[in-house]
Amino acid sequence: MIKISNSNYTNFAFLIFFYIINGFHVNAQEKINLDENWKFHFGNASNPDKDFNYSIATIFSKSGAAVSTPIEAKFIDSTWTNINLPHDWAVALPFEYSKNFDVESHGYKPVGGFYPETSIGWYRKHFSVDKADSQKRFEIQFDGIFRNATIWINGFYVGTNLSGYVGVSYDVTDYLNFDKENIIVVRVDASQYEGWFYEGAGIYRHVWLNTFDNLHIPNDGLFVHSTVNGKNATVSIETEVENKNLTAAKGTIYSFITDNSGKQIGKTSEQNFTLSVNGKTTVKQNISLNNVNLWSLENPYLYKVVSVIKQNNKIVDKKKSNFGIKTVRFDAKEGFFLNGKQIKIQGTNNHQDHAGIGSALPDFMQYYRIKLLKEMGSNAYRTSHNAPTPELLEACDSLGMLVLDEQRLLNSSPEYVNQFERLLRRDRNHASVFLWSIGNEEGWIQKTETGKKIAQTLLAKQKEIDPTRTSTYAADMGNEFNGVNEVIPIRGFNYRQFAVADYHRDHPNQPLLGTEMGSTVTTRGIFAKDSIRAYVPDQDITAPWWASKAEDWWKLAAENNYWMGGFVWTGFDYRGEPTPYKWPNVNSHFGLMDVCGFPKNIYYYYQSWWTNEDVLHISPHWNWPEKIGKPIDVWVNTNADDVELFLNGKSLGKKIMPRNSHLQWEVIYEPGTLEAVAYKKGKKITSKVETTNLTTKLVAVADKTTLLANGKDGTVLNISLVDDKGREVPDANNMVYFSITGDAKIIGVGNGDPSSHEADKCENGLWQRSAFNGKCQVIIQAGKKAGEIKLVAKSNGLQSNSFTIQQNN
C-alpha cells in the first residue's frame, strides 16, 4: 500500500490499495493523482527581482543548490495562490488590445513576449511519502504544460519539457524524502508561442506520481494490437521489461485479456527472461480470441490486456491497457473501410479550449464535447494541431469516435522526433486512433526536398513505434506532388477541394482525405453582417478566400468514393483567430457550434447529411418587429424528401429537397408562426419558429443531474431565457447571476459571443454572465461530500430558476 500525504497546509491522504489478480495480493504499478493543493505565483520574464531571483541566483553550479529561489525547499510560499489542477492562468486574464498578429491570433490575452508580467508562472507542490515505500521506484508524470516547463524536486533539477502539448515523465526515485516532505517546483515559461491560436498557459493537464518495482514495465511500455480473421482475432502483446536493480534479475512474464465485464477470456504461458543491470527487453506474446466484438462507431467495444511480471514466484509488477479490435483499410478508389464496411469520414477539427475554462478541461468536459459532436453526426476528430490530452482519447475510445492524432511540427530534429515518439508510444493502444498526422501546413518546406526528407524520417519513426497504422500530412496544396506528398501514404488536403479530382486523376493509387475542409464563418443567432461588433451571418454564406462553404466541399466528398471524406474546420469555435475581423472579436467564427457547444445553423446542414435522424430546421428566428412587410431570407436544413413552408397557416409553396443541399424561401415578414411540413419516406415531420413574447424567466438544462462526490466530476448547465409560454427568446441578452450551495463549485461561465470581453472566471459569490441570443452556460465541478447541490440563476426583472443536482459517494 502506498500512502501519499499532501502537506500543503492541508493533510490529505491518498490510499491506493493492493490489486488482486488470480488470488494473489499484488503490489502493482500505482498511479497517484497529484492535482490538488498546489501553490501558484506569477514570475517575470524581464525583471529578475519579480521572478524570485531566478536568472540571478546560480542554480546549476551544484546539484540540489537553489539558494534564494522558489526551487529551494525552505522557500516560503504561504502567500502564493492556492490552486488545483488542471490550471490555465491565461483564461483568467483580461483581454488586452494589441496590433500584433500573434497576440490577436491567441485571443488578445496578455501572454507572450510583450507581457513579461503574466507569461511566467511558478508552481509548488508539497507532499509526503511513507517510509515503508522507500524501496519502490517513483516517477513524476506531467500530461501537459504550456510550455517550456522546467521541473525540480527537492531542489534537484529533473528536466525541461519544451513542448506545450506532449507530456513527459521523469524518474525521481533518487531525490525523494521519506522522513520529511517533498516539494515539486515547476517554472512555466509561456513567453513563446507554439501555435497561431489560443494555447492557454500553465499546468493545464493532470500530474501523477507513478510507483513501481525496480523490475517493472516502463511507462507506455505495453503495446497491444490485433489481426482479425473472420470472427476470430490474434492479439499481439509486446511488453517492455526494465531492470533497475543493482544486480541482474530473472523473472517471468505473462499476459491475459478480459472482456468489458472483467471476465478473463485468454492468457499466455509464463515466459522466462534475464536482465542485466539497467537491462531492457521486449517480450512478445500472442493470445487467440474467438467470436470477438469489433470496435466500431456504433459499438465501441473495449477489451483489457494485463501484463504481469513475477520474480521468485511473486508478482512484482503489472500494467494494464484498454484496447479495441478492428480492421482499417484505406482504398485509393473506394475510400475508407472500418471492419470491412465503407464509411465516409464525417470529421471535425478542434482545438482544446472551451468557454469558461480555457485549455484546462476537467475530464468530464471531454466526454461532453465528444457527445455533442456525435449527436451532430460526426464520426471522426482531428487533434488540431497537437498531441491531445489522454482523456480526450479515452472519451473517443468509449463513445465511438475515430481520431486523427497529430504531431505539432514537421521537424526531424532530436527534440521533435522525441516528441513524436512520445506521442506514438502514449497513444498507440487507443482504439479510436485510426491514423497519424506528421504535421500541418508547413508552407516553408512542404514542397521541397527538405520537407520530403523530414517526412521520411518521421514516417520511419512511426513505422518503428507503431507498424499497425499509417500516416497523413495536412497539406494546403492543390494538385501538387513535389515534396511531402511524394512520400506520404495518405494525401491530406487542407481546402483546395477544387483540385482533389485532378490530383486523384494524376495519382490514382494514393488514397486521399480532406484533412481540413469548409471553414464557413458564422455567429450564432446573428443574421446580418456587423463589422462594429464583429459578427457574421449565421448561414452558410461567408468563407475566407482560402476556404470554402459547407456545401462546396461536402457535395464533392459525399458523391465521390475516392474521397474518404474529411474534417470540417471546426467543430467548436475557439479563442483566437478572429477571422474575418480583429478587435473587439476575440475568438473564431469557424465552429459548427460556438465555444459553449451551442449549435449554429450550419450544424443542422451537417446533421441532415451525416445522420439518419429526422432533421428539419428552420432559420432565422421569427422576432423581427423592425422588418414587418419586408423580405426575410428563410433557410430550411433537412434530410427529408420535400418541404412545404407555411406562414400563419398559409402555404408558401412546396420544394423538393436536393441531396447534400438546403432549401430557401423569400418570405415577407409578419409576426406569428413559420412552420415547415416535410415528408421523409412517407413519414410526416414538422418544425416551427414563432414570434415570442418578452422574456419572463430562466430555464436551466443540465448535462448530468447526478455527480460522483470525488472532486473531479461535474456537469454543464445551459441556461435559456424564455417567455411566458416557455419559448426561448432568440435575441435576449440579459445579465444572469449565479450562486451555488452544497459541496461543489462553479469553475467557468460563457455565452458563445465571439466579441464578449466578460470574465470567464469570477470571484466566489460574484459569478455572472450575460446571455447571448437567448443562451449562456455555467460549468460546475463536484466536491467530495455527498448531498444536494443547488444552483440558482437570477436576472433582474425575470423569474429566477433553481436547479438541484445530487452528489453521491
Side-chain angles (χ1 to χ4, degrees), residues 235-353:
V235 179
S236 299
I237 304 157
E238 302 181 26
T239 309
E240 298 174 21
V241 184
E242 183 175 36
N243 176 31
K244 285 293 184 178
N245 287 293
L246 299 179
T247 59
K250 294 182 179 181
T252 62
I253 185 170
Y254 68 92
S255 300
F256 64 90
I257 294 173
T258 62
D259 63 16
N260 66 359
S261 70
K263 178 184 177 183
Q264 183 174 302
I265 56 174
K267 182 181 177 182
T268 70
S269 60
E270 293 190 22
Q271 188 167 333
N272 295 317
F273 64 84
T274 301
L275 290 176
S276 60
V277 176
N278 286 331
K280 292 182 180 180
T281 190
T282 298
V283 178
K284 298 182 179 182
Q285 301 169 301
N286 293 324
I287 296 177
S288 296
L289 299 179
N290 299 323
N291 297 315
V292 294
N293 290 292
L294 298 181
W295 186 93
S296 67
L297 303 173
E298 303 79 17
N299 179 34
Y301 192 96
L302 294 175
Y303 293 91
K304 183 173 293 181
V305 62
V306 183
S307 288
V308 182
I309 297 176
K310 293 175 69 176
Q311 191 176 33
N312 299 322
N313 206 33
K314 176 186 176 183
I315 295 175
V316 296
D317 194 33
K318 79 180 182 84
K319 199 169 188 70
K320 57 187 176 181
S321 177
N322 290 334
F323 71 99
I325 298 173
K326 68 180 187 295
T327 66
V328 167
R329 180 164 66 92
F330 303 95
D331 188 283
K333 296 180 176 60
E334 297 300 320
F336 174 69
F337 293 79
L338 178 63
N339 301 327
K341 177 183 177 182
Q342 187 182 46
I343 290 176
K344 192 72 75 170
I345 297 298
Q346 300 169 174
T348 63
N349 290 269
N350 292 284
H351 290 310
Q352 59 182 2
D353 63 298

Side-chain angles (χ1 to χ4, degrees), residues 119-276:
S119 296
I120 303 292
W122 285 90
Y123 293 84
R124 300 185 96 239
K125 165 71 175 176
H126 301 243
F127 68 100
S128 299
V129 181
D130 196 293
K131 194 170 185 177
D133 303 311
S134 61
Q135 298 306 307
K136 291 185 173 293
R137 300 206 71 81
F138 292 84
E139 177 185 74
I140 190 77
Q141 175 183 327
F142 295 89
D143 284 348
I145 308 173
F146 194 86
R147 64 173 298 276
N148 191 8
T150 309
I151 299 154
W152 296 265
I153 189 162
N154 296 331
F156 290 92
Y157 172 71
V158 174
T160 299
N161 185 23
L162 293 176
S163 174
Y165 299 99
V166 182
V168 67
S169 300
Y170 300 104
D171 189 317
V172 296
T173 305
D174 294 346
Y175 313 125
L176 283 189
N177 298 318
F178 298 94
D179 53 358
K180 59 182 179 179
E181 73 174 8
N182 298 276
I183 301 172
I184 303 169
V185 178
V186 184
R187 183 180 184 268
V188 181
D189 184 350
S191 57
Q192 178 60 264
Y193 303 124
E194 287 193 54
W196 52 96
F197 41 84
Y198 179 86
E199 298 182 275
I203 308 177
Y204 68 97
R205 294 180 184 168
H206 296 306
V207 177
W208 309 91
L209 185 66
N210 302 324
T211 72
F212 39 82
D213 192 84
N214 283 320
L215 187 63
H216 62 271
I217 302 165
N219 198 17
D220 300 325
L222 175 59
F223 180 31
V224 56
H225 49 96
S226 58
T227 302
V228 177
N229 183 12
K231 295 182 178 180
N232 304 325
T234 300
V235 179
S236 299
I237 304 157
E238 302 181 26
T239 309
E240 298 174 21
V241 184
E242 183 175 36
N243 176 31
K244 285 293 184 178
N245 287 293
L246 299 179
T247 59
K250 294 182 179 181
T252 62
I253 185 170
Y254 68 92
S255 300
F256 64 90
I257 294 173
T258 62
D259 63 16
N260 66 359
S261 70
K263 178 184 177 183
Q264 183 174 302
I265 56 174
K267 182 181 177 182
T268 70
S269 60
E270 293 190 22
Q271 188 167 333
N272 295 317
F273 64 84
T274 301
L275 290 176
S276 60

